[in-house]
Amino acid sequence: MNAGRFPRISVNRVRIFTLGVLLVASCQRIERGSESAAMERYRTLWNETHDAENEFYTMFKYSAAEGLGFEEGVTRRDPSTVVKVGDKYYVWYTKSCGAPVGYDKATGKLPATNWDLATIWYATSLDGRKWTEQGMAIGRGEKGSFDERSVFTPDILVAEGKYYLYYQAVKAPYKRRTKNVIAMARADSPDGPWTKAAEPVLKPGKSGQWLGEEDDRNKVKVRGAWDSLKVHDPCLVVRGGKYWLYYKGHPMGMRFGDAQGKKGIDFAMGVAIAEKPEGPFIKSKLNPVTNSGHEVLVWPYKEGVATLVTRNGPEKNTVQFARDGLNFEIKSLVTITPHAAGAYRSDAFTNTKWGEGITWGLCHLESTSESPYRFLIRFDCDLSLKGERPGFKRWPPRTKIETYFQKGNKLE
Ligand code: AAL
């Protein structure tokens, strides 16, 4: 080293500076040591906000979706995004008839579950509260087709002046090990007629290997990809001029791992992106983009995408946000969340650069020990930039005794 270029005085200054840096750093360490992990999170993760100030916190409140409520012998479930066309709101949903008998007893006429032997129906409303069922939108496919057994859990996309329904489809026979795909149909009007695409637009990921012949989805030699068994619950957003299809994946083998004891994700959300509504949809290399969740609900929010994560996994009952639509972070913890929510997402397909959020939609109520039939209700919330609903930023009410003593919660 050329000493001439580094006079003595500068070296001393460097030493003093370095000492100073070390001193400040060690003081900070002492300070950090005096702060609990919770308080560190309060500062860094929660930005010292209370629920009332957290744009991602909401209570959910429920009311009837008149016309789509309980009906003996009929299930209506898994509503789509609600869209407004002219002065009418439209929603699509799964409709099935008869009490489910389980996979082992199901026949050509008796459904295994209440999304089996189902078709997709739709309803319209002028106010989002009173609905009129309009009829069937998508029926089951021909014998031998990939959608022969059931079509269900739809979502809608409006693009290039056309309407696209994306929905789950299963072939026959429908067993626990039957793989499940996402299909698509297109129409010029929300009232149809719908023309089905010849092939599914999304299929399960790299297959694993089943262990044995029994119809047991827990027994695998190899689990395969995180979405090796099912691709479910499509929910679309137009972002950067592309079609982002978010979906729920479920692997062969579920949570118990493979024959070698290798574990992996159970339920999670992924995304597949296409240049056109017809696809091809290319799955993101980052998939899965959540580690938890069940039915998928995403919406454009500010420059990114927000999602409600419910029901399964370590991060259930959270609202999460990803500035890039891919790297989601927890932003709030929520309770009494809507099941299979389909929101009114006014700007989901406008290619917005500043998403405004959501305030309502439809969801389904679970079957109970009294009745196997599910039906639709309305949820309201405040996950909107407008922030006009302070009543939704309160603590949730205490749960009533009926919930503690309902089947499943009650210690039998
Ligand atoms: C729902 C959704 C999908 C599943 C079934 C019906 O909660 O995740 O639609 O296939 O359950």
Side-chain angles (χ1 to χ4, degrees):
M1 194 175 283
N2 181 351
R5 284 179 61 206
F6 294 94
R8 192 89 195 135
I9 186 90
S10 293
V11 171
N12 277 340
R13 273 194 194 146
V14 167
R15 277 190 192 138
I16 290 164
F17 177 74
T18 314
L19 271 176
V21 168
L22 286 174
L23 200 65
V24 171
S26 65
C27 285
Q28 271 177 356
R29 256 204 303 279
I30 292 165
E31 234 176 64
R32 221 174 272 153
S34 65
E35 181 182 53
S36 66
M39 285 310 291
E40 187 181 343
R41 280 200 308 281
Y42 184 57
R43 272 190 306 107
T44 54
L45 176 65
W46 302 112
N47 291 326
E48 303 192 30
T49 51
H50 295 264
D51 288 344
E53 303 145 359
N54 181 352
E55 60 190 316
F56 294 99
Y57 174 74
T58 187
M59 283 173 66
F60 294 95
K61 299 194 185 197
Y62 299 91
S63 57
E66 280 177 49
L68 299 174
F70 178 78
E71 185 181 338
E72 184 64 38
V74 177
T75 279
R76 291 182 184 82
R77 54 173 295 153
D78 292 298
S80 70
T81 293
V82 176
V83 291
K84 196 167 189 189
V85 185
D87 60 352
K88 273 192 282 184
Y89 293 106
Y90 280 74
V91 70
W92 289 260
Y93 47 88
T94 307
K95 186 173 176 182
S96 68
C97 296
V101 296
Y103 289 97
D104 298 325
K105 294 192 184 136
T107 64
K109 295 247 159 61
L110 293 177
T113 60
N114 53 26
W115 57 88
D116 183 21
L117 291 176
T119 48
I120 294 167
W121 287 57
Y122 77 113
T124 59
S125 169
L126 288 173
D127 61 2
R129 295 173 192 282
K130 288 193 183 112
W131 294 86
T132 308
E133 189 163 81
Q134 301 293 347
M136 188 171 82
I138 309 280
R140 291 160 53 200
E142 316 239 296
K143 205 168 165 26
S145 61
F146 68 83
D147 58 350
E148 174 186 348
R149 179 74 194 186
S150 197
V151 288
F152 53 114
T153 314
D155 197 37
I156 184 81
L157 163 74
V158 187
E160 298 160 0
K162 303 222 181 304
Y163 297 83
Y164 297 83
L165 277 175
Y166 299 81
Y167 49 95
Q168 295 178 204
V170 266
K171 60 183 190 217
Y174 192 7
K175 297 284 176 198
R176 292 178 189 84
R177 285 184 171 184
T178 304
K179 295 209 174 187
N180 179 147
V181 297
I182 294 180
M184 191 269 283
R186 187 176 61 190
D188 292 335
S189 147
D191 297 295
W194 296 90
T195 306
K196 288 181 179 177
E199 291 294 323
V201 290
L202 203 73
K203 293 185 177 167
K206 190 169 184 294
S207 188
Q209 268 178 278
W210 295 116
L211 183 66
E213 295 303 311
E214 202 188 332
D215 184 36
D216 183 342
R217 65 199 260 199
N218 297 323
K219 294 195 178 151
V220 283
K221 278 194 206 133
V222 183
R223 284 167 61 97
W226 70 280
D227 58 351
S228 56
L229 185 61
K230 315 250 175 189
V231 287
H232 276 172
D233 298 281
C235 189
L236 285 103
V237 169
V238 179
R239 190 174 154 73
K242 297 192 176 165
Y243 301 92
W244 292 50
L245 189 163
Y246 289 87
Y247 66 100
K248 176 187 92 186
H250 201 32
M252 296 163 65
M254 294 172 85
R255 59 188 162 281
F256 308 115
D258 59 20
Q260 288 77 45
K262 204 169 148 237
K263 293 197 178 179
I265 213 91
D266 186 6
F267 290 87
M269 180 175 83
V271 61
I273 302 173
E275 305 278 339
K276 293 186 291 169
E278 293 81 6
F281 284 93
I282 311 295
K283 293 180 183 177
S284 168
K285 291 206 168 66
L286 278 186
N287 282 351
V289 295
T290 65
N291 56 35
S292 303
H294 200 107
E295 298 96 351
V296 172
L297 170 59
V298 290
W299 63 94
Y301 191 72
K302 292 187 171 168
E303 72 274 52
V305 176
T307 182
L308 174 66
V309 178
T310 61
R311 201 167 163 78
N312 300 87
E315 295 183 1
K316 63 182 150 311
N317 297 343
T318 57
V319 176
Q320 305 197 8
F321 176 69
R323 196 156 271 131
D324 60 0
L326 295 169
N327 289 287
F328 285 91
E329 282 168 13
I330 296 177
K331 293 292 184 184
S332 76
L333 274 66
V334 284
T335 57
I336 322 207
T337 52
H339 294 178
Y344 174 59
R345 305 181 303 153
S346 61
D347 53 5
F349 315 133
T350 60
N351 200 23
T352 181
K353 289 203 165 60
W354 199 249
E356 66 176 26
I358 57 167
T359 56
W360 70 279
L362 300 185
C363 60
H364 67 226
L365 274 192
E366 295 301 321
S367 39
T368 62
S369 46
E370 290 81 50
S371 168
Y373 305 111
R374 300 196 188 184
F375 58 97
L376 302 182
I377 58 170
R378 174 181 162 126
F379 71 89
D380 279 74
C381 61
D382 184 2
L383 290 164
S384 160
L385 266 184
K386 291 189 190 139
E388 285 165 350
R389 307 185 102 181
F392 286 80
K393 300 277 182 192
R394 302 212 179 105
W395 300 323
R398 302 250 184 206
T399 311
K400 285 181 90 176
I401 190 162
E402 290 85 344
T403 306
Y404 286 90
F405 287 162
Q406 79 176 32
K407 194 170 169 12
N409 287 350
K410 188 175 178 203
L411 182 66
E412 305 285 358

